Amino acid sequence: MIKSELVQRIAGQNPHLYQRDVENIVNAILGEIVAALARGDRVELRGFGAFSVKNRRARAGRNPRTGEHVAVEQKCVPFFKTGKEMRERLNRPQPEVAAK
Amino acid sequence: MAERTVTRADLCEAVYQKIGLSRTESAALVELVLKEITDCLERGETVKLSSFGSFVVRKKGQRVGRNPKTGTEVPISPRRVMVFKPSAILKQRINAGLGGNAGGEAHGP
């Protein structure tokens, strides 16, 4: 599923909203998560998971093709930890898969 | 500055402020967005959200684990896990304003 499909599915369940509104809603949600991470904040969505920012220290890397040494600067990377309920839902017995 | 935790309530507030729907409806829509993503992943489908990242479901085979406290070997059953792959844009946003800030306290633009 891509973003436009997500928008369509939500718009289908909310006939009183324009598709453009739904698009703005999805973008507002994602934008809020991105803004929080850019500030270095954590985003916790119970039942889904939590986004956080992890710090990676500067290190000496190598160009894998040439073997050359390169300095890698310290940086921050986004990190996602799956929530408990999500984890359980992914591993719940699925009738349609089991039937195959 | 202390690190804050952003929750559903903050996402609802953002939708409420930006879209102009009622708070109740904003909350319902935030819930629906998460539900649609979750349902999709539960079916084993990948969810790609451009300029944000993608959620991918991976299948893990059985392997032997160890109880870290007692050291006894325990089999870990095959399972499905979900991973988040951040987009290049998200990674960039997180590192914007990080110019030589050793504390790692990133500030948005």
Side-chain angles (χ1 to χ4, degrees):
Chain A
M1 179 172 77
I2 61 172
K3 204 200 272 178
S4 58
E5 292 165 342
L6 173 64
V7 169
Q8 271 168 23
R9 282 183 204 188
I10 292 163
Q13 295 169 59
N14 291 275
H16 63 294
L17 295 176
Y18 289 112
Q19 186 143 323
R20 185 171 17 92
D21 293 331
V22 177
E23 214 174 288
N24 288 335
I25 291 163
V26 171
N27 286 333
I29 294 170
L30 298 179
E32 195 64 17
I33 297 174
V34 173
L37 294 175
R39 290 192 302 266
D41 287 346
R42 225 173 92 83
V43 180
E44 189 179 309
L45 303 167
R46 284 283 157 94
F48 185 75
F51 297 90
S52 57
V53 176
K54 288 198 171 183
N55 216 328
R56 296 272 178 268
R57 267 181 287 174
R59 60 186 172 87
R62 258 167 197 282
N63 179 329
R65 191 180 303 195
T66 62
E68 226 177 317
H69 287 273
V70 279
V72 181
E73 276 182 52
Q74 78 122 17
K75 62 179 174 185
C76 290
V77 294
F79 177 78
F80 177 77
K81 187 174 188 288
T82 315
K84 192 176 170 215
E85 201 193 314
M86 185 77 217
R87 230 168 34 226
E88 285 166 2
R89 283 189 61 173
L90 287 171
N91 291 292
R92 209 149 71 174
Q94 285 184 303
E96 67 269 288
V97 172
K100 274 183 194 170
Chain B
M1 196 177 71
E3 175 191 295
R4 250 189 100 237
T5 298
V6 170
T7 61
R8 272 181 172 74
D10 300 286
L11 301 186
C12 298
E13 188 63 23
V15 172
Y16 170 73
Q17 299 282 351
K18 288 181 187 162
I19 317 295
L21 299 170
S22 71
R23 281 208 159 81
T24 320
E25 198 168 13
S26 302
L29 280 155
V30 168
E31 229 36 70
L32 183 57
V33 168
L34 292 175
K35 182 192 175 288
E36 287 298 331
I37 296 174
T38 306
D39 287 354
C40 208
L41 292 167
E42 205 178 342
R43 291 192 297 270
E45 232 183 285
T46 295
V47 177
K48 283 186 187 168
L49 303 168
S50 82
S51 80
F52 184 73
S54 48
F55 295 102
V56 187
V57 178
R58 290 208 182 131
K59 286 201 175 101
K60 300 272 189 180
Q62 185 175 357
R63 63 192 172 94
V64 199
R66 230 173 241 284
N67 179 332
K69 197 180 273 182
T70 62
T72 42
E73 285 190 358
V74 278
I76 296 175
S77 54
R79 63 192 60 215
R80 294 198 307 173
V81 296
M82 140 191 187
V83 290
F84 174 63
K85 285 169 60 179
S87 75
I89 295 173
L90 176 58
K91 286 194 246 177
Q92 257 171 31
R93 276 290 306 270
I94 285 173
N95 285 290
L98 188 75
N101 185 344
E105 202 187 326
H107 296 281

